[in-house]
PDB file of all heavy atoms in Angstrom:
ATOM      1  N   TRP W 233      10.738   4.627   2.152  1.00 98.00           N
ATOM      2  CA  TRP W 233      11.801   5.590   2.385  1.00 98.00           C
ATOM      3  C   TRP W 233      12.969   5.325   1.371  1.00 98.00           C
ATOM      4  O   TRP W 233      13.537   6.283   0.797  1.00 98.00           O
ATOM      5  CB  TRP W 233      12.293   5.749   3.714  1.00 98.00           C
ATOM      6  CG  TRP W 233      12.628   7.113   4.201  1.00 98.00           C
ATOM      7  CD1 TRP W 233      13.591   7.927   3.691  1.00 98.00           C
ATOM      8  CD2 TRP W 233      11.905   7.888   5.060  1.00 98.00           C
ATOM      9  NE1 TRP W 233      13.508   9.129   4.309  1.00 98.00           N
ATOM     10  CE2 TRP W 233      12.530   9.199   5.091  1.00 98.00           C
ATOM     11  CE3 TRP W 233      10.828   7.665   5.915  1.00 98.00           C
ATOM     12  CZ2 TRP W 233      12.086  10.285   6.049  1.00 98.00           C
ATOM     13  CZ3 TRP W 233      10.416   8.769   6.760  1.00 98.00           C
ATOM     14  CH2 TRP W 233      10.999   9.983   6.855  1.00 98.00           C
ATOM     15  N   PRO W 234      13.351   4.123   1.190  1.00 97.00           N
ATOM     16  CA  PRO W 234      14.382   4.036   0.128  1.00 97.00           C
ATOM     17  C   PRO W 234      13.970   4.605  -1.240  1.00 97.00           C
ATOM     18  O   PRO W 234      14.849   5.160  -1.944  1.00 97.00           O
ATOM     19  CB  PRO W 234      14.456   2.421  -0.036  1.00 97.00           C
ATOM     20  CG  PRO W 234      14.135   1.938   1.422  1.00 97.00           C
ATOM     21  CD  PRO W 234      13.039   2.926   1.734  1.00 97.00           C
ATOM     22  N   SER W 235      12.746   4.491  -1.584  1.00 97.00           N
ATOM     23  CA  SER W 235      12.265   5.146  -2.873  1.00 97.00           C
ATOM     24  C   SER W 235      12.314   6.688  -2.679  1.00 97.00           C
ATOM     25  O   SER W 235      12.632   7.355  -3.608  1.00 97.00           O
ATOM     26  CB  SER W 235      10.797   4.774  -3.155  1.00 97.00           C
ATOM     27  OG  SER W 235      10.817   3.443  -3.440  1.00 97.00           O
ATOM     28  N   PHE W 236      11.987   7.194  -1.606  1.00 97.00           N
ATOM     29  CA  PHE W 236      11.994   8.670  -1.234  1.00 97.00           C
ATOM     30  C   PHE W 236      13.469   9.177  -1.517  1.00 97.00           C
ATOM     31  O   PHE W 236      13.735  10.209  -2.224  1.00 97.00           O
ATOM     32  CB  PHE W 236      11.622   8.981   0.130  1.00 97.00           C
ATOM     33  CG  PHE W 236      11.338  10.370   0.555  1.00 97.00           C
ATOM     34  CD1 PHE W 236       9.985  10.864   0.369  1.00 97.00           C
ATOM     35  CD2 PHE W 236      12.190  11.234   0.982  1.00 97.00           C
ATOM     36  CE1 PHE W 236       9.794  12.221   0.611  1.00 97.00           C
ATOM     37  CE2 PHE W 236      11.962  12.617   1.297  1.00 97.00           C
ATOM     38  CZ  PHE W 236      10.782  13.082   1.078  1.00 97.00           C
ATOM     39  N   ASN W 237      14.453   8.598  -0.907  1.00 97.00           N
ATOM     40  CA  ASN W 237      15.818   9.030  -0.958  1.00 97.00           C
ATOM     41  C   ASN W 237      16.484   8.837  -2.345  1.00 97.00           C
ATOM     42  O   ASN W 237      17.488   9.315  -2.740  1.00 97.00           O
ATOM     43  CB  ASN W 237      16.692   8.427   0.127  1.00 97.00           C
ATOM     44  CG  ASN W 237      16.410   9.104   1.496  1.00 97.00           C
ATOM     45  OD1 ASN W 237      15.648  10.077   1.536  1.00 97.00           O
ATOM     46  ND2 ASN W 237      16.808   8.471   2.567  1.00 97.00           N
ATOM     47  N   SER W 238      15.846   7.863  -3.058  1.00 97.00           N
ATOM     48  CA  SER W 238      16.424   7.518  -4.393  1.00 97.00           C
ATOM     49  C   SER W 238      15.768   8.136  -5.582  1.00 97.00           C
ATOM     50  O   SER W 238      16.179   8.128  -6.727  1.00 97.00           O
ATOM     51  CB  SER W 238      16.643   6.052  -4.506  1.00 97.00           C
ATOM     52  OG  SER W 238      15.348   5.444  -4.709  1.00 97.00           O
ATOM     53  N   ALA W 239      14.525   8.638  -5.352  1.00 96.00           N
ATOM     54  CA  ALA W 239      13.657   9.006  -6.512  1.00 96.00           C
ATOM     55  C   ALA W 239      14.305   9.959  -7.358  1.00 96.00           C
ATOM     56  O   ALA W 239      14.038   9.875  -8.695  1.00 96.00           O
ATOM     57  CB  ALA W 239      12.346   9.563  -5.808  1.00 96.00           C
ATOM     58  N   ILE W 240      14.928  10.913  -6.927  1.00 96.00           N
ATOM     59  CA  ILE W 240      15.633  11.900  -7.906  1.00 96.00           C
ATOM     60  C   ILE W 240      17.181  11.869  -7.892  1.00 96.00           C
ATOM     61  O   ILE W 240      17.786  12.738  -8.419  1.00 96.00           O
ATOM     62  CB  ILE W 240      15.087  13.443  -7.625  1.00 96.00           C
ATOM     63  CG1 ILE W 240      15.535  13.750  -6.190  1.00 96.00           C
ATOM     64  CG2 ILE W 240      13.627  13.567  -7.909  1.00 96.00           C
ATOM     65  CD1 ILE W 240      15.472  15.230  -5.943  1.00 96.00           C
ATOM     66  N   ALA W 241      17.714  10.687  -7.316  1.00 96.00           N
ATOM     67  CA  ALA W 241      19.107  10.534  -7.489  1.00 96.00           C
ATOM     68  C   ALA W 241      19.344  10.240  -8.910  1.00 96.00           C
ATOM     69  O   ALA W 241      18.541   9.996  -9.820  1.00 96.00           O
ATOM     70  CB  ALA W 241      19.519   9.378  -6.575  1.00 96.00           C
ATOM     71  N   ASP W 242      20.723  10.257  -9.217  1.00 95.00           N
ATOM     72  CA  ASP W 242      21.276   9.864 -10.582  1.00 95.00           C
ATOM     73  C   ASP W 242      20.700   8.510 -11.085  1.00 95.00           C
ATOM     74  O   ASP W 242      20.687   7.575 -10.318  1.00 95.00           O
ATOM     75  CB  ASP W 242      22.716   9.937 -10.600  1.00 95.00           C
ATOM     76  CG  ASP W 242      23.312  11.318 -10.555  1.00 95.00           C
ATOM     77  OD1 ASP W 242      22.580  12.312 -10.634  1.00 95.00           O
ATOM     78  OD2 ASP W 242      24.459  11.595 -10.254  1.00 95.00           O
ATOM     79  N   HIS W 243      20.409   8.538 -12.357  1.00 96.00           N
ATOM     80  CA  HIS W 243      20.138   7.238 -12.970  1.00 96.00           C
ATOM     81  C   HIS W 243      21.294   6.210 -12.638  1.00 96.00           C
ATOM     82  O   HIS W 243      22.379   6.528 -12.610  1.00 96.00           O
ATOM     83  CB  HIS W 243      20.020   7.372 -14.512  1.00 96.00           C
ATOM     84  CG  HIS W 243      18.817   8.058 -15.028  1.00 96.00           C
ATOM     85  ND1 HIS W 243      18.593   8.290 -16.203  1.00 96.00           N
ATOM     86  CD2 HIS W 243      17.781   8.507 -14.293  1.00 96.00           C
ATOM     87  CE1 HIS W 243      17.472   9.011 -16.357  1.00 96.00           C
ATOM     88  NE2 HIS W 243      16.942   9.189 -15.071  1.00 96.00           N
ATOM     89  N   GLY W 244      20.930   5.003 -12.560  1.00 95.00           N
ATOM     90  CA  GLY W 244      21.906   3.895 -12.433  1.00 95.00           C
ATOM     91  C   GLY W 244      22.386   3.728 -11.011  1.00 95.00           C
ATOM     92  O   GLY W 244      21.593   3.528 -10.059  1.00 95.00           O
TER      93      GLY W 244
END
Side-chain angles (χ1 to χ4, degrees):
Chain W
W233 215 295
S235 296
F236 192 92
N237 285 349
S238 67
I240 57 162
D242 285 346
H243 288 178

